[in-house]
Amino acid sequence: MNPSDVSAAIAALESPSATQASKSPGYNQLLTRVLAESPASHVSVNLIAFLNSLLGDTVGLVASRPVLASFVTQFKSIPDSAARKAIGEHALSLLASQVVSFEEQDSKIRECLADVYEAENDNCAAAKVLQGIQLESSQRMIPDDAKVRIWIRITRNLLEDDNTTEAEIYLNRAKNLIYKCEDLELKLHFQLSQARIFDARRRFLEACHGYHMLSFSPVIAEEERLQSLSSAITCAVLAPAGPQRSRALARLYKDDRSHQLEADFSILEKMYLDRLLSPAEVDKFAERLSPHQLAKTADGSTVLAKAVVEHNLLGASRLYNNIGIEELGILLGLPSEKAEEYAARMIEQGRLVGRIDQIDKLIFFDGGEGTGEKTSSGQADRVVGREVRKWDSNVQGLAEEVEKVTTLLQNQFPEFVTANLSH
């Protein structure tokens, strides 16, 4: 149909002689003809004219509602995405002032329009159009699954647009109802969105746990499970050094699948075994990080640089009983003042057991990693009598070895032992 034919048909339907009872079937027939007979170049123009008439003042609500429902069903099947976008945006502008009467149709048009935006990678527009859906309505009953599905979809689009703050708001709404949902795929998207938000907010230990749990899900493909495992390793590497990160590294290192990720396993192994990381290894690992993981912190360093310094400091505590502050700075590639600051912070936070002698400019390591708990004095507890206990342990070990040798001699040469013991 040409636009002139559509205009003539609309004029006939809007004439005073046309009754309200005849308008509903009349508009349905016109809709069928427009979709079937309009050339591709005229589809959007014809349907926009159709909507202007249907949602105008001449058609009552009783007649227009079922016709609009038919339009929504047909709207999804329009092949040209540009036409769908233009028609959908115009339909929403017409419904804006009367959305209370057409809530269900409005929400379906918004979902279809969001499909178009997502296909164009315009995630911001997709999130905005979905946010306009009325989910807390007195006009219709909306199942919990449907609410959660919309909230999760908004969250995912906001995350793709790097809008973590708003994404977390919608994820928290979904969190209150997700336990009622039976859809495994929906729960999977919720877990992934939660892990991504933790990751974006630099809560790397929680993100690591979320990604690792996802990597065991049988719902997703093997390739995606390995990708989740890789993300878990990345977050574990970026997490602050301490006992909690050590436990996370141990879980990942003991996961048999980690060996398949050669690029990730190399740095995972070194961190798990408390080996020092070289700048070349760190630079190679940094090439695969997301922009938010390379963002600078308040002190001007990146999250990765801070994590590596803390790891190397912890690794140094395994190698040395004590070290000069100047030498520690050289080892970490930092000025001595900065190295001392890192060590003091980790000791104060209970992530490293040691003490600093500022007069002699020495750092004493009392057993490596701390418990992660602060003490009342603000420093990790010093190991009292450490040298005495070490002496006791060595004496005990020597006595046990002598006892073993004596037992072996008695078993092999009983006569010799008896003769010598008698003297």
Side-chain angles (χ1 to χ4, degrees), residues 13 81 88 149 170 190 200-201 210 212 232 237 244 248 259 267 313 379 414:
L13 290 169
S81 61
R149 186 171 287 104
Y170 284 94
F190 174 82
R201 290 198 170 277
H212 198 204
V237 170
Q244 290 184 330
H259 296 269
I267 194 167
L313 180 53
Q379 296 182 348

Side-chain angles (χ1 to χ4, degrees), residues 249-406:
L249 290 171
R251 283 194 300 270
L252 294 167
Y253 182 75
K254 294 173 184 177
D255 192 322
D256 294 336
R257 301 169 299 164
S258 296
H259 296 269
Q260 301 176 39
L261 304 169
E262 296 180 6
D264 296 301
F265 185 74
S266 174
I267 194 167
L268 171 65
E269 184 177 38
K270 286 202 168 187
M271 283 204 153
Y272 172 69
L273 299 175
D274 290 324
R275 296 173 182 168
L276 300 181
L277 296 171
S278 67
E281 291 172 316
V282 175
D283 292 340
K284 185 178 179 181
F285 179 75
E287 293 174 359
R288 300 183 291 109
L289 296 181
S290 302
H292 74 272
Q293 294 169 334
L294 291 171
K296 291 190 176 182
T297 58
D299 61 1
S301 62
T302 64
V303 175
L304 176 60
K306 187 176 180 181
V308 169
V309 168
E310 290 185 350
H311 166 76
N312 284 344
L313 180 53
L314 197 58
S317 73
R318 307 292 194 192
L319 295 173
Y320 304 101
N321 285 330
N322 57 72
I323 188 173
I325 293 175
E326 292 284 348
E327 288 75 12
L328 180 63
I330 294 171
L331 183 66
L332 300 178
L334 296 172
S336 58
E337 297 82 5
K338 200 72 175 175
E340 182 182 0
E341 183 183 326
Y342 270 100
R345 186 187 302 117
M346 291 182 68
I347 292 171
E348 189 272 333
Q349 293 173 349
R351 294 188 284 134
L352 180 70
V353 179
R355 63 190 187 277
I356 300 175
D357 186 337
Q358 291 184 317
I359 296 175
D360 293 333
K361 295 188 178 301
L362 288 172
I363 298 179
F364 294 88
F365 300 116
D366 296 330
E369 193 171 68
T371 62
E373 297 181 359
K374 293 182 180 180
T375 62
S376 58
S377 63
Q379 296 182 348
D381 288 333
R382 184 184 299 181
V383 181
V384 180
R386 174 172 173 263
E387 295 299 328
V388 175
R389 286 203 298 273
K390 185 184 289 186
W391 174 269
D392 290 344
S393 177
N394 289 338
V395 171
Q396 181 181 352
L398 178 61
E400 290 174 352
E401 291 300 322
V402 171
E403 180 67 25
K404 287 179 184 177
V405 172
T406 305

Side-chain angles (χ1 to χ4, degrees), residues 81 84 113-123 126:
S81 61
R84 246 185 307 150
L113 197 52
D115 290 337
V116 177
Y117 290 137
E118 288 172 352
E120 296 176 350
N121 293 320
D122 190 353
N123 300 102

Side-chain angles (χ1 to χ4, degrees), residues 209-223:
H209 177 72
Y211 284 130
H212 198 204
M213 290 298 101
L214 279 171
S215 72
F216 293 110
S217 175
V219 179
I220 60 179
E222 176 65 20
E223 184 180 350

Side-chain angles (χ1 to χ4, degrees), residues 126-143:
K128 284 182 179 178
V129 77
L130 290 169
Q131 286 170 331
I133 296 177
Q134 300 291 329
L135 294 177
E136 304 297 334
S137 171
S138 58
Q139 304 294 321
R140 58 191 182 120
M141 292 295 295
I142 304 172

